Amino acid sequence: MKSRFLILLFFLISAQVFSQGIIRGRVINPVNNDPVPFASILILDTDFGTISDEDGFFEISDIPSGLYNLRASFVGFKTVTIYEIQVSQARPVQLDIELEEETAELSEVVVSSEFSRSEETPLSIRRLNTNEIERYPGGNRDISRVIQALPGVASTPSFRNDILIRGGAPNENKFFVDEIEVPVINHFSTQGSSGGPVGILNVNLIKNVDLITGGFPANRMDAMSSFFEIQLKEGRRDKMFTQLTLGASELTLSNEGPIGEKTTYLFSARRSYLQGLFRLLGLPFLPTFNDFQFKSKTKLNEKTELTILGLGAIDNFVLNKEIPDDESGEDLENRLYLLDVLPVQSQWNYATGVKLKRFRDNGFWTFVLSRNMLDNSAYKYAGNQENDEDKLLYNYKSQESENKFRAENSIFGSGYTLKYGVNYQYSRYFIDNFDRATLSAIGQVIDISSTSNFSTYGAFVSGSKNYSGDRLLLSGGVRLDGGDFAATASNPFRQISPRVSVSYQLSPNLYATANAGVYYQKPPYTVLGFRNNEGALVNRDNDVRYIRNSQLIAGLELVVPEKNRRFTAEAFYKKYSNYPSSLRNGIALANLGADFGVIGNEPVISNAEGRAYGLEFLAQQRLLNNFYGIAALTLVRSEFTNPNTDGFVPSSWDNKIIVSLTAGKRFGKNWEIGSRWRFLGGTPYTPFDLQASSLIANWDLRNQGILNFNQINGVRLQAFHQLDLRLDKKYYFKNWNLNWYVDIQNAYNFQAKQAPLLVPVRAADGSISIDPNDPSRYQLKELENTAGTLLPTVGIIVEF
């Protein structure tokens, strides 16, 4: 009887449920928020369609469950295509469509809301929607990993989310969520840089992600490699909706719905159980993380919208000192090394913000007030003997908090756009640092506790103008940025950032584009707030400067709207100056950052230069006949000067070649398979100084090797490649949906060579062996270090 019941239950769950769904929403003009009445809305390749009413509202019903592309059009407005709209009976699809007015009489050109192009940034911009992020093979529903499919984006072969764009460092990227800046988007982030093993943002709440890798708009500041414009969904206006996601490492709950007639909300919370999983696997470190997100949007009236955003994370990283009885050889040596060098770490962060948008007939004002904070703590005892204060190697705690205000006015006229605005930021940086492990230039123990406050300010103006019947687009702008962290930086006219873009429509769907611009970014707070034992702000005295980056970009873009295809080719050149370099070891900070810990907490001078240049190629197929794919090729070089070397040397981000091939296919009964293959050229690294490392005094102080900074990035790793696979199955029921998936990262288990580990030779009793030829030295040896493992993940998503 029991077996019959299980068979029946399996049959019911496995059966395909045919159900009907609804798409409803509103068509508006994004310039003034006015409705667009009588617009035509068609579901492509079907007979379904409708017309918006006098207030812009529309509804299409009795749609079979599935994935559809939709097109909206009206006379005098640019036609828009929206891809991959998931329809089910569990909830009506809520879809608000923005139609922009045409400025000239041209033959119809279809504009894709997914192939994003804007007047101010007509090149180097890519868009991903929520379905692409969710199903991306190897992405594990993490936006930082999904972005790696796009051209110009490199990554590390380890399990971290460091985003390396066009040869730039991870800290050269900025992230905006609904126009509110969010500095930290990864758990266990590297302070002074970025990246981390797991993303914070919940893909369930994301509507679109635009990645801008060049031609930056003038209203964005303080980055040199990219800006991420992340747009969250608007909460449901009809009723509450819940999504529960159970993955291999975490449990996520998402909820959305209305609060009264004018306000909607989104909320999510996630709890990981990595610590228990890693303990079962016997790993020497035990991480755990939690995060939350919240958004509400209130329409105060037809012309005024108020958005409130909040997100945060809590991370803890402890050591697992239990050594398995069956572990021996290099595995045991590797474990003991990691236990010797890994700190006990805790970190939390949050970002909150309020955005007020006030529309009028020819544009809108945007006001943004936000605050964010990062708290980072870590400590380490020699031999992990935490009860012996004499064994304390370092105890680090710091806090970064920022309070920001931004006001922008956008004016739209006949064939032109004008924007201007101002911004102000007040920051607090606190540090309490005891460090006897760092070999400082003066050979002293670092023991400092201090608080520093900084103000930065800026203003911009930008505009664009169409000529020749909208075929020629000219856009440009200028920024001024200043800060009180050093003498040179305080004068904003020393940080003038002009930029200009041109786009010409060679044929209805072929564009030639070019851009030239200058961009500035302030050094991280670890640099700005570093003090010596006397309490002096060392780097202010060294007149640390804004990092300067000049860029040239040119490219071609071909869009084939009837086939949902896009082809782009771009060449870029980036020239860095005023880059900080360490006075302790003579290396540019551009060559540090793809690891855990803290970057920049030391004396620096702004004297390094750099350059990155290359070619990018992209072929993208949006969903058509149940197939989609992205092919991206990047040829890139990234080089920096260092005081200890002559001329340019490869930076830590110099991959030379990056290939990413992603494809997927949807089958009947809502089965879907996808795969991604990526290839990255090997990056350079700096070898160890064996003579300095083996000294007993040095090793006892640091428990790890000392790098040879006279051979900065003098050795290159082998190339890295990996295949990821994913299988999805969806079920649509009357009031709920079920989706399970299997995601396999590194399907053929490629072992990527990393910089070798330097470990001590140990005697039978576990003590470190002394060099018999020199009693002042330990015996050390290098261990092969690899990254990459076959990692299958099973997940279940329930929506109701």
Side-chain angles (χ1 to χ4, degrees), residues 382-501:
N384 297 311
Q385 300 180 40
E386 297 185 10
N387 295 324
D388 188 350
E389 289 301 315
D390 292 335
K391 299 291 187 179
L392 180 63
L393 298 178
Y394 60 85
N395 189 1
Y396 175 88
K397 179 178 177 61
S398 74
Q399 292 180 337
E400 299 177 4
S401 60
E402 298 176 328
N403 303 280
K404 303 177 181 180
F405 173 74
R406 193 171 81 249
E408 301 176 5
N409 188 17
S410 301
I411 303 169
F412 299 89
S414 179
Y416 74 90
T417 301
L418 177 65
K419 297 182 180 181
Y420 60 87
V422 295
N423 64 278
Y424 174 77
Q425 176 177 306
Y426 178 76
S427 309
R428 173 184 175 270
Y429 177 72
F430 166 78
I431 184 169
D432 186 357
N433 188 25
F434 174 83
D435 188 350
R436 69 175 60 168
T438 299
L439 294 179
S440 66
I442 56 178
Q444 293 180 351
V445 172
I446 299 172
D447 190 1
I448 185 68
S449 179
S450 71
T451 300
S452 305
N453 298 295
F454 305 101
S455 292
T456 55
Y457 33 85
F460 80 93
V461 60
S462 65
S464 62
K465 177 69 172 148
N466 288 287
Y467 298 92
S468 302
D470 275 2
R471 295 193 181 280
L472 174 63
L473 170 66
L474 296 179
S475 59
V478 62
R479 278 200 63 85
L480 294 174
D481 288 288
D484 63 359
F485 55 82
T488 299
S490 63
N491 183 357
F493 289 97
R494 291 181 177 270
Q495 288 86 225
I496 298 179
S497 308
R499 73 270 329 257
V500 61
S501 296

Side-chain angles (χ1 to χ4, degrees), residues 320-363:
N320 180 12
K321 302 175 187 177
E322 300 176 5
I323 299 177
D325 295 333
D326 58 348
E327 194 166 66
S328 60
E330 288 193 357
D331 290 338
L332 177 59
E333 291 178 319
N334 198 327
R335 174 182 293 272
L336 293 174
Y337 170 80
L338 291 176
L339 289 174
D340 276 345
V341 300
L342 288 177
V344 176
Q345 184 178 7
S346 63
Q347 189 177 101
W348 55 262
N349 69 85
Y350 68 82
T352 60
V354 177
K355 179 180 70 173
L356 181 69
K357 201 164 187 177
R358 176 63 179 170
F359 292 91
R360 57 183 185 277
D361 290 341
N362 68 336

Side-chain angles (χ1 to χ4, degrees), residues 24 28 150 290 307 334 348 389 408 538 560 619 710 753:
R24 65 164 66 111
I28 61 171
L150 299 179
N290 304 274
T307 301
N334 198 327
W348 55 262
E389 289 301 315
E408 301 176 5
V538 175
V560 188
N710 290 318
K753 292 287 184 67

